[in-house]
mmCIF file of all heavy atoms in Angstrom:
data_model
loop_
_atom_site.group_PDB
_atom_site.id
_atom_site.type_symbol
_atom_site.label_atom_id
_atom_site.label_comp_id
_atom_site.label_asym_id
_atom_site.label_seq_id
_atom_site.Cartn_x
_atom_site.Cartn_y
_atom_site.Cartn_z
ATOM 1 N N PRO V 496 -7.364 9.862 -52.911
ATOM 2 C CA PRO V 496 -8.540 9.219 -53.487
ATOM 3 C C PRO V 496 -9.823 9.777 -52.878
ATOM 4 O O PRO V 496 -9.859 10.133 -51.706
ATOM 5 C CB PRO V 496 -8.346 7.742 -53.123
ATOM 6 C CG PRO V 496 -7.477 7.764 -51.914
ATOM 7 C CD PRO V 496 -6.622 8.989 -52.016
ATOM 8 N N VAL V 497 -10.873 9.839 -53.713
ATOM 9 C CA VAL V 497 -12.146 10.408 -53.265
ATOM 10 C C VAL V 497 -13.324 9.629 -53.850
ATOM 11 O O VAL V 497 -13.178 8.882 -54.809
ATOM 12 C CB VAL V 497 -12.277 11.894 -53.672
ATOM 13 C CG1 VAL V 497 -11.293 12.757 -52.915
ATOM 14 C CG2 VAL V 497 -12.110 12.077 -55.157
ATOM 15 N N ALA V 498 -14.485 9.861 -53.264
ATOM 16 C CA ALA V 498 -15.730 9.280 -53.745
ATOM 17 C C ALA V 498 -16.532 10.348 -54.488
ATOM 18 O O ALA V 498 -16.040 11.445 -54.724
ATOM 19 C CB ALA V 498 -16.525 8.723 -52.566
ATOM 20 N N ALA V 499 -17.750 10.038 -54.815
ATOM 21 C CA ALA V 499 -18.568 10.870 -55.701
ATOM 22 C C ALA V 499 -19.273 12.013 -54.979
ATOM 23 O O ALA V 499 -20.463 11.928 -54.697
ATOM 24 C CB ALA V 499 -19.592 9.996 -56.398
ATOM 25 N N VAL V 500 -18.565 13.078 -54.652
ATOM 26 C CA VAL V 500 -19.151 14.315 -54.129
ATOM 27 C C VAL V 500 -18.266 15.479 -54.550
ATOM 28 O O VAL V 500 -17.299 15.297 -55.265
ATOM 29 C CB VAL V 500 -19.320 14.303 -52.584
ATOM 30 C CG1 VAL V 500 -20.406 13.361 -52.155
ATOM 31 C CG2 VAL V 500 -18.043 13.935 -51.889
ATOM 32 N N ALA V 501 -18.578 16.674 -54.082
ATOM 33 C CA ALA V 501 -17.814 17.875 -54.439
ATOM 34 C C ALA V 501 -16.467 17.890 -53.715
ATOM 35 O O ALA V 501 -16.378 17.503 -52.551
ATOM 36 C CB ALA V 501 -18.604 19.118 -54.081
ATOM 37 N N HIS V 502 -15.429 18.361 -54.414
ATOM 38 C CA HIS V 502 -14.075 18.403 -53.863
ATOM 39 C C HIS V 502 -13.511 19.814 -54.019
ATOM 40 O O HIS V 502 -13.655 20.433 -55.069
ATOM 41 C CB HIS V 502 -13.165 17.423 -54.598
ATOM 42 C CG HIS V 502 -13.810 16.102 -54.851
ATOM 43 N ND1 HIS V 502 -14.112 15.217 -53.845
ATOM 44 C CD2 HIS V 502 -14.243 15.532 -56.000
ATOM 45 C CE1 HIS V 502 -14.689 14.153 -54.364
ATOM 46 N NE2 HIS V 502 -14.777 14.329 -55.678
ATOM 47 N N SER V 503 -12.832 20.302 -52.989
ATOM 48 C CA SER V 503 -12.209 21.623 -53.019
ATOM 49 C C SER V 503 -10.798 21.526 -52.467
ATOM 50 O O SER V 503 -10.461 20.583 -51.761
ATOM 51 C CB SER V 503 -13.019 22.624 -52.191
ATOM 52 O OG SER V 503 -14.312 22.773 -52.709
ATOM 53 N N CYS V 504 -9.991 22.546 -52.770
ATOM 54 C CA CYS V 504 -8.602 22.578 -52.328
ATOM 55 C C CYS V 504 -8.290 23.957 -51.758
ATOM 56 O O CYS V 504 -8.772 24.965 -52.279
ATOM 57 C CB CYS V 504 -7.682 22.286 -53.513
ATOM 58 S SG CYS V 504 -5.935 22.486 -53.142
ATOM 59 N N ARG V 505 -7.454 23.992 -50.712
ATOM 60 C CA ARG V 505 -6.984 25.266 -50.163
ATOM 61 C C ARG V 505 -5.518 25.124 -49.767
ATOM 62 O O ARG V 505 -5.131 24.176 -49.098
ATOM 63 C CB ARG V 505 -7.800 25.673 -48.939
ATOM 64 C CG ARG V 505 -7.320 26.988 -48.377
ATOM 65 C CD ARG V 505 -8.219 27.541 -47.337
ATOM 66 N NE ARG V 505 -7.745 28.849 -46.924
ATOM 67 C CZ ARG V 505 -8.066 29.406 -45.794
ATOM 68 N NH1 ARG V 505 -8.897 28.816 -44.973
ATOM 69 N NH2 ARG V 505 -7.582 30.590 -45.476
ATOM 70 N N ILE V 506 -4.727 26.092 -50.222
ATOM 71 C CA ILE V 506 -3.314 26.173 -49.858
ATOM 72 C C ILE V 506 -3.134 27.476 -49.088
ATOM 73 O O ILE V 506 -3.487 28.544 -49.578
ATOM 74 C CB ILE V 506 -2.400 26.182 -51.099
ATOM 75 C CG1 ILE V 506 -2.642 24.953 -51.974
ATOM 76 C CG2 ILE V 506 -0.938 26.308 -50.698
ATOM 77 C CD1 ILE V 506 -2.190 23.653 -51.383
ATOM 78 N N GLN V 507 -2.599 27.391 -47.880
ATOM 79 C CA GLN V 507 -2.319 28.574 -47.076
ATOM 80 C C GLN V 507 -0.816 28.803 -47.063
ATOM 81 O O GLN V 507 -0.046 27.873 -46.822
ATOM 82 C CB GLN V 507 -2.834 28.388 -45.656
ATOM 83 C CG GLN V 507 -4.342 28.237 -45.588
ATOM 84 C CD GLN V 507 -4.769 27.825 -44.205
ATOM 85 O OE1 GLN V 507 -4.533 26.706 -43.784
ATOM 86 N NE2 GLN V 507 -5.405 28.747 -43.508
ATOM 87 N N ALA V 508 -0.416 30.048 -47.343
ATOM 88 C CA ALA V 508 1.012 30.347 -47.417
ATOM 89 C C ALA V 508 1.248 31.826 -47.149
ATOM 90 O O ALA V 508 0.328 32.638 -47.194
ATOM 91 C CB ALA V 508 1.551 29.983 -48.794
ATOM 92 N N THR V 509 2.498 32.148 -46.872
ATOM 93 C CA THR V 509 2.938 33.538 -46.832
ATOM 94 C C THR V 509 4.053 33.671 -47.849
ATOM 95 O O THR V 509 4.842 32.743 -48.053
ATOM 96 C CB THR V 509 3.452 33.943 -45.434
ATOM 97 O OG1 THR V 509 4.488 33.051 -45.050
ATOM 98 C CG2 THR V 509 2.331 33.917 -44.408
ATOM 99 N N GLY V 510 4.097 34.827 -48.491
ATOM 100 C CA GLY V 510 5.105 35.057 -49.522
ATOM 101 C C GLY V 510 4.728 34.382 -50.823
ATOM 102 O O GLY V 510 3.737 33.672 -50.929
ATOM 103 N N GLY V 511 5.527 34.628 -51.837
ATOM 104 C CA GLY V 511 5.287 34.024 -53.139
ATOM 105 C C GLY V 511 4.044 34.572 -53.822
ATOM 106 O O GLY V 511 3.298 35.376 -53.250
#
Side-chain angles (χ1 to χ4, degrees):
V497 292
V500 289
H502 317 291
S503 298
C504 173
R505 180 170 184 201
I506 303 291
Q507 296 170 289
T509 56

